[in-house]
Amino acid sequence: GAGVSQSPSNKVTEKGKDVELRCDPISGHTALYWYRQSLGQGLEFLIYFQGNSAPDKSGLPSDRFSAERTGGSVSTLTIQRTQQEDSAVYLCASSLGAFSGNTIYFGEGSWLTVV
Amino acid sequence: AQKVTQAQTEISVVEKEDVTLDCVYETRDTTYYLFWYKQPPSGELVFLIRRNSFDEQNEISGRYSWNFQKSTSSFNFTITASQVVDSAVYFCALSERTAGAQKLVFGQGTRLTINP
């Protein structure tokens, strides 16, 4: 696609439920990233994929968070047993490759509210 | 560890004024990349510029200009003749050349309001 596409745009869920957030990167981009933006923490790196593998998962805040990428394209971020502190904007991004000079392009984010 | 500081939390100016957003970074690497992103109310982070650590030339793009100074570890962003559409949160970010992951480390952002 022309840009990074994320769904849903907004999600309100009850505490304890599982949620899945989807990201469709820019066509041809092999690297895909998830970031989280919250009021208290700013923009935080969660995980990145090069192809279908995730060399760096160091930013995932707990084992309730997981992500996968299939076919070198679409990625899903799953949060199990959601907590109120998980409320944030989850931003997906992609780049041509994982080289640190590549420009990373972001989607509009998925706004998650846990009530 | 790398760090990016945007000391100005909020700036408010009147339209047509010039405004400079400050960014100071810390890194131990000799090769690194600096970025500016704009985040309008829609939420999407819009890429503005990328600069590598070996290129200290200032850059101008229309009303936008960037001043990179390695001596002071700063990468400041100036908007000339500001317009209401420039209102947004602006983020400065640093990416280091390390084996494995590419991570952007972001500053806390500066909320810029341009008043008509």
Side-chain angles (χ1 to χ4, degrees), chain A residues 6 9 42 47 54-55 78 102 107 110-111:
Chain A
Q6 292 187 245
S9 301
I47 187 172
T78 301
N102 281 326
S110 290
W111 295 65

Side-chain angles (χ1 to χ4, degrees), chain A residues 66-98:
Chain A
S66 63
E68 65 174 14
R69 188 180 186 195
T70 55
S73 182
V74 172
S75 174
T76 302
L77 176 68
T78 301
I79 309 173
Q80 295 178 309
R81 304 180 303 281
T82 51
Q83 303 295 313
Q84 287 184 331
E85 61 263 28
D86 298 334
S87 296
V89 179
Y90 290 83
L91 290 161
C92 179
S94 69
S95 65
L96 277 174

Side-chain angles (χ1 to χ4, degrees), chain A residues 33 35 37 39-43 45 48 56 58 91 95 97-108 111, chain B residues 31 33 35 37 39 41-47 50 91 95-98 100-108:
Chain A
Y33 314 80
Y35 283 78
Q37 185 175 23
L39 276 177
Q41 302 297 324
L43 275 153
F45 168 85
Y48 105 102
D56 189 346
S58 63
L91 290 161
S95 65
F99 167 59
S100 59
N102 281 326
T103 297
I104 298 178
Y105 296 93
F106 286 81
E108 292 191 355
W111 295 65
Chain B
T31 301
Y33 299 84
F35 300 80
Y37 286 86
Q39 188 174 42
S42 63
E44 181 180 0
L45 279 167
V46 178
F47 166 75
R50 179 188 75 208
F91 290 93
S95 173
E96 290 188 336
R97 182 177 65 90
T98 59
Q102 172 184 358
K103 299 179 190 179
L104 287 178
V105 175
F106 286 88
Q108 289 298 103

Side-chain angles (χ1 to χ4, degrees), chain B residues 22-62:
Chain B
D22 297 334
C23 173
V24 175
Y25 61 92
E26 296 176 26
T27 178
R28 294 180 184 170
D29 210 337
T30 55
T31 301
Y32 52 88
Y33 299 84
L34 295 162
F35 300 80
W36 275 95
Y37 286 86
K38 173 182 179 180
Q39 188 174 42
S42 63
E44 181 180 0
L45 279 167
V46 178
F47 166 75
L48 295 178
I49 190 171
R50 179 188 75 208
R51 179 53 52 114
N52 75 55
S53 53
F54 295 108
D55 183 1
E56 286 195 72
Q57 280 190 329
N58 291 333
E59 176 137 351
I60 298 175
S61 176

